[in-house]
Amino acid sequence: MARRIDVTGAGGVHLAAWEFADPPKTEERDHSSPGVLLLHGLMGRASHWASTARWLAGRHRAVALDQRGHGQSDKPPQAAYTREAYVEDAAAAVEQLGLAPAVLIGHAMGALTAWQLAAKRPELVRGLIICDMRASALGAASQREWADWFKSWPVPFATLADVRKWFGEDDPWVERPNPARGEFYAEVMHECADGWQPVFDPDRMLKSRETWVYDAHWEELAQVPCPTLVVRGVDGELGRAEAQEMVRVLPKGEYAEVADAGHLLPYDRPEAWRAAVEPFLDRVGE
């Protein structure tokens, strides 16, 4: 049973944080084991981390955050979707949940938030896992592609089965059928009077994205002092050469990759994902 915890983010924005399993009992938990904050990517939600959070709960207090504009957190006006706001929200979550110094685990945009927080507030972060997020600038063409992609969604969807089929098979961005991708997007839909719609505003997602796609983020990586693991899916968006360069730039960088996995690797390859990150978590927790 998921338990919601309310967090107050930057500018008073109300954020929903979630525990998907009971934390270890006092007598069972190794007190050296750090707390963990899980940050989803653009369009994601905390529940995408449910499997990972339940696994982590055997040794850590693991909390996943619905970031602003996502899940059950507030969806403020467009002006509020800045990098600074996302980073301040994550810092507030670490502090208000009593997780510091925490291990931050971020996927895609959530990984960028995590390493920006680690660079800005190193006292809050004990370790960092970056999952399939690029440090290089993606540029205007990428932002236009995303805008066109959002316009291609056949919303509203009549049923959740239609959601799963479109995102898992019919979406032009799908190279081959991927049921896990369909399930991933089914989790970010809610039923409205006219059918199933995303729980987020696509225009606000584009606004969030435009605050980081035009810039490179290598300098911030170089400012991360804690141990950091860069994980990529072999078929994901982060190429091997760039991932290895990120490891080189990081003061304490390490590298892992997951075969037969794409961008959503923690969600669609959970066992392989856990195997990739467990040795790092063991070392950080020592």
Side-chain angles (χ1 to χ4, degrees):
M1 184 71 177
R3 180 171 75 97
R4 173 174 172 156
I5 308 167
D6 292 327
V7 170
T8 301
V13 169
H14 295 100
L15 305 172
W18 300 88
E19 287 188 274
F20 294 96
D22 292 332
K25 295 179 181 178
T26 303
E27 61 270 19
E28 295 175 355
R29 181 180 174 184
D30 178 353
H31 289 283
S32 68
S33 296
V36 178
L37 182 68
L38 298 140
L39 298 170
H40 60 73
L42 190 71
M43 301 181 295
R45 66 187 308 170
S47 62
H48 286 140
W49 286 116
S51 174
T52 296
R54 292 188 185 105
W55 168 66
L56 288 168
R59 291 179 53 187
H60 306 266
R61 185 183 180 207
V63 183
L65 182 68
D66 276 337
Q67 296 178 80
R68 61 176 55 214
H70 297 75
Q72 293 189 26
S73 289
D74 280 357
K75 298 165 178 63
Q78 289 196 6
Y81 294 91
T82 65
R83 281 284 83 221
E84 292 77 13
Y86 278 109
V87 173
E88 289 175 21
D89 288 348
V94 170
E95 291 177 316
Q96 292 171 35
L97 295 167
L99 299 175
V103 172
L104 304 181
I105 302 179
H107 175 246
M109 182 192 75
L112 175 59
T113 299
W115 88 60
Q116 289 179 325
L117 175 57
K120 183 179 180 180
R121 299 284 305 277
E123 76 280 6
L124 296 182
V125 186
R126 180 167 172 172
L128 172 65
I129 297 178
I130 296 169
C131 179
D132 215 62
M133 179 60 185
R134 300 180 63 183
S136 58
L138 302 181
S142 172
Q143 189 72 349
R144 287 193 297 270
E145 288 174 1
W146 272 72
D148 291 342
W149 178 57
F150 278 130
K151 292 175 183 176
S152 76
W153 291 17
V155 291
F157 294 92
T159 68
L160 274 180
D162 292 328
V163 174
R164 295 184 182 99
K165 184 176 186 300
W166 196 82
F167 286 101
E169 300 178 25
D170 301 336
D171 182 349
W173 281 19
V174 174
E175 295 181 358
R176 57 182 182 272
N178 185 344
R181 188 175 187 271
E183 293 292 343
F184 182 94
Y185 282 97
E187 282 199 45
V188 295
M189 298 289 163
H190 63 153
E191 190 171 16
C192 303
D194 57 351
W196 292 83
Q197 300 266 13
V199 299
F200 51 79
D201 180 341
D203 288 339
R204 290 177 182 173
M205 296 298 98
L206 288 171
K207 185 70 174 178
S208 294
R209 196 173 185 272
E210 74 178 14
T211 65
W212 51 265
V213 295
Y214 302 117
D215 301 312
H217 303 282
W218 296 99
E219 184 176 345
E220 293 150 308
L221 273 182
Q223 296 170 357
V224 174
C226 64
T228 303
L229 178 68
V230 177
V231 187
R232 62 179 289 270
V234 169
D235 299 318
E237 297 179 8
L238 175 61
R240 180 178 286 117
E242 183 171 353
Q244 293 177 343
E245 180 63 11
M246 290 169 67
V247 171
R248 189 192 69 78
V249 167
L250 284 157
K252 297 180 181 178
E254 302 179 32
Y255 175 77
E257 65 180 30
V258 178
D260 300 321
H263 181 59
L264 304 177
L265 66 100
Y267 189 83
D268 61 16
R269 293 294 311 282
E271 292 183 3
W273 155 254
R274 292 194 291 265
V277 302
E278 186 171 23
F280 176 82
L281 288 169
D282 287 344
R283 290 192 297 275
V284 170
E286 290 176 351

